[in-house]
Amino acid sequence: MSIAFVGFAAELAARVERVGPVTVGLAGAGQMGTDIVVQLLLMPGIRLGVLSVNNPRAARDVLVNAGHDSEAIAEVGSARAADAAIERGRVALVTDVELLCSTGLVDVVIDATGNPNVGATIALEAFRNGKHVVMLNVEADITIGRYLAGEARRAGLVYTGAAGDEPAATLELIGFAQSVGFEIVAAGKGKNNPLKLDATPDAYEAEARARNMNARVLVEFVDGSKTNIEMVAVANATGLVPDVPGMHGPAAMRDELAQVLCTKEDGGILARSGVVDYTIGKDVAPGVFCIVKPLHPRVIERMCDIRVGPGPCYTLFRPYHLTSLEAPLSALRAVLRGTPDMVPIERPVAECVAVAKRDLAAGDLLGKIGEYDYRGVAVTCEEAIATSAIPLGLAERTRVLRPIRAGEQLTYINCAPDESLLVTQIRRRLDEHNATCSGRELTGRSVAAAS
């Protein structure tokens, strides 16, 4: 018995009949990238054309395990060869992201690398070659996403966050709440892993192996960096802000959220309405939520009548996010409809700053997010500017200039970001432009701290 395609699936089926499937170029074959490789074989109306990786041998295993025939994988060294492979129904395997982005038959590029500097290169090369970009790399988005979105608009292309990741899933709820006229009190996620601020990869190697993850990536979740990154992404797509540095993160269960993450006037813990936050309550993850407040007694009456909660605030809840399994939907909407699922606003309101995990000495060269040196903390842009804080996305390869104690922020006074990196250069230009527009007279490293 066959079931007719409905909704968006029907739109995809019609597209295939008219012009064939959407062709994706994918950067990265880690946990998220591997999921996407599998999904692109299972979903209608879309296919993998090019995969860019550092390790082609491991990527071959990923492709074969997903269901690709080993004979249908072609390692190539030019865009022309990649196009030829795609035309023959093969997957082109490359080691150069610029080659990935210049392949003519690729319609849209998905960045699943998680590296801010690589993400900058991928997005700009994709735009130069007329490709839409799906940024599953939230680390890059919170650092220079507004610049990349502007470059996409100028090129007549789509730059979007990825469906299924918590930020975009949260935005679905926020958009729904706004469309029916609710006040947005708070929005956020349930934290998926126990919170341990000083976590390092050494202690998580075994768990990472059991979960088929990289230990560094797992620690980025455990030490709270990923949660703070994701909530800053939501903030800078909506104008919601962290209520306090690092947010509250209460241990509120699902049925308590609306009575905890609401303003103090309504019996909760927030100093203001309109914030991003998270909970470590055990029955919320892997869901996302939006706490709303109706603006008329009749609506409050109806919400109570249909058992949404006791009021005066209520929880809208999505009990899942499918991360990389949904990400191809953003690629499809970009190509078929020319619409993003999530895009940064032009003036950011929040920053994810870097805070030392351990005592750092002058001369130290810092590692990656999720390693040993620092973690991410969400603050307002005003707070970041006031302390000359270094954005988390610039912390890798930063040189420590002065001793920093564990728990202290990395700043443009005690550290020097790597100016050779494209992401650092773009962020400096952004900050200098914003400082000029706001009339601030800033000099030296403090210029680059402005947002």
Side-chain angles (χ1 to χ4, degrees), residues 231-449:
M231 292 303 97
V232 166
V234 172
N236 288 337
T238 61
L240 302 174
V241 296
D243 189 40
V244 296
M247 304 172 288
H248 292 281
M253 305 292 278
R254 179 177 169 182
D255 60 359
E256 303 171 314
L257 279 173
Q259 283 68 55
V260 175
L261 286 175
C262 61
T263 64
K264 293 175 182 177
E265 289 80 4
D266 287 325
I269 62 175
L270 302 180
R272 54 186 157 183
S273 183
V275 308
V276 288
D277 218 302
Y278 70 98
T279 177
I280 58 173
K282 295 184 182 300
D283 66 346
V284 180
V288 295
F289 61 84
C290 182
I291 309 301
V292 300
K293 187 173 183 179
L295 301 178
H296 193 282
R298 176 74 183 205
V299 181
I300 293 175
E301 176 187 333
R302 183 60 50 237
M303 296 287 277
C304 292
D305 183 55
I306 58 178
R307 300 180 183 178
V308 181
C313 299
Y314 303 87
T315 301
L316 304 181
F317 186 67
R318 179 181 172 182
Y320 65 91
H321 72 285
L322 303 186
T323 58
S324 40
L325 305 185
E326 293 182 64
L329 293 173
S330 290
L332 287 163
R333 284 190 279 265
V335 175
L336 271 65
R337 297 176 176 176
T339 57
D341 287 322
M342 178 175 175
V343 65
I345 56 180
E346 292 188 13
R347 295 289 295 182
V349 297
E351 187 78 81
C352 192
V353 302
V355 170
K357 280 187 183 179
R358 62 178 180 86
D359 291 346
L360 302 173
D364 283 351
L365 188 65
L366 303 184
K368 297 180 180 180
I369 302 169
E371 291 187 334
Y372 304 89
D373 301 327
Y374 56 87
R375 59 185 175 86
V377 173
V379 301
T380 65
C381 279
E382 289 83 0
E383 290 165 333
I385 292 167
T387 58
S388 295
I390 289 180
L392 181 70
L394 303 188
E396 183 179 348
R397 290 171 54 176
T398 281
R399 178 78 63 181
V400 178
L401 302 176
R402 303 178 184 179
I404 305 170
R405 295 182 66 84
E408 292 180 349
Q409 284 188 5
L410 278 58
T411 72
Y412 288 95
I413 298 167
N414 58 34
C415 286
D418 185 346
E419 294 291 342
S420 72
L421 297 179
L422 177 62
V423 68
T424 305
Q425 296 164 13
I426 292 172
R427 180 56 191 255
R428 180 174 289 278
R429 293 199 299 270
L430 275 175
D431 293 339
E432 289 171 347
H433 171 76
N434 289 342
T436 300
C437 290
S438 64
R440 293 193 299 273
E441 293 186 4
L442 301 175
T443 58
R445 291 190 178 90
S446 61
V447 171

Side-chain angles (χ1 to χ4, degrees), residues 23-27 48-52 82 86 91-94 99-100 103 106:
T23 300
V24 169
L26 173 64
L48 177 62
V50 184
L51 176 61
S52 174
I86 294 170
V91 174
L93 190 57
V94 305
L99 195 161
L100 162 74
T103 300
V106 166

